Amino acid sequence: MTRSDLVAHLADRFGQLTQRDTEFAVKTMLDAMSDALARGHRIEIRGFGSFSINRRPPRMGRNPRSGEQVLIPEKLVPHFKPGKALREAVDAQLPVEDAAA
């Protein structure tokens, strides 16, 4: 699902909101989440999951073209951990494999 799909789905579901209002609400929420993560905060949405920042330490890599070793610097990357309710909902949708396959 893309951002525009989400906006369209929410606008259809909540008829009192216009497409523009829904787009503004989604943009505001995602911007607030991005800002919180950029400041190093953790975001927890009960029943959905939590977003946090993980540190990737510096390491030695290899340039695939020249083969020379390159130092890859430390990075801070966003991390999502699904909540129990989301894990169970996704697991419940697991397709049953065909015995003939």
Side-chain angles (χ1 to χ4, degrees):
M1 177 179 274
T2 63
R3 179 188 275 195
S4 57
D5 293 340
L6 177 62
V7 169
H9 180 76
L10 291 173
D12 289 343
R13 185 168 177 188
F14 300 100
Q16 70 273 21
L17 294 175
T18 65
Q19 184 86 7
R20 176 179 267 167
D21 290 341
T22 307
E23 190 171 337
F24 179 73
V26 169
K27 182 182 181 333
T28 302
M29 188 177 91
L30 293 176
D31 287 347
M33 291 173 70
S34 296
D35 290 344
L37 286 173
R39 285 182 272 134
H41 296 288
R42 184 173 178 273
I43 301 169
E44 182 176 333
I45 302 171
R46 300 282 176 167
F48 183 72
S50 62
F51 297 87
S52 60
I53 299 294
N54 279 357
R55 177 185 167 270
R56 285 195 187 155
R59 61 187 173 92
M60 289 303 289
R62 187 173 300 277
N63 182 333
R65 232 178 231 179
S66 65
E68 69 178 294
Q69 288 194 340
V70 178
L71 177 66
I72 300 172
E74 171 182 57
K75 288 184 179 183
L76 297 176
V77 293
H79 175 74
F80 174 71
K81 181 178 178 186
K84 182 179 178 186
L86 178 60
R87 282 193 319 265
E88 289 174 352
V90 170
D91 190 42
Q93 297 299 319
L94 186 68
V96 178
E97 292 188 26
D98 222 0

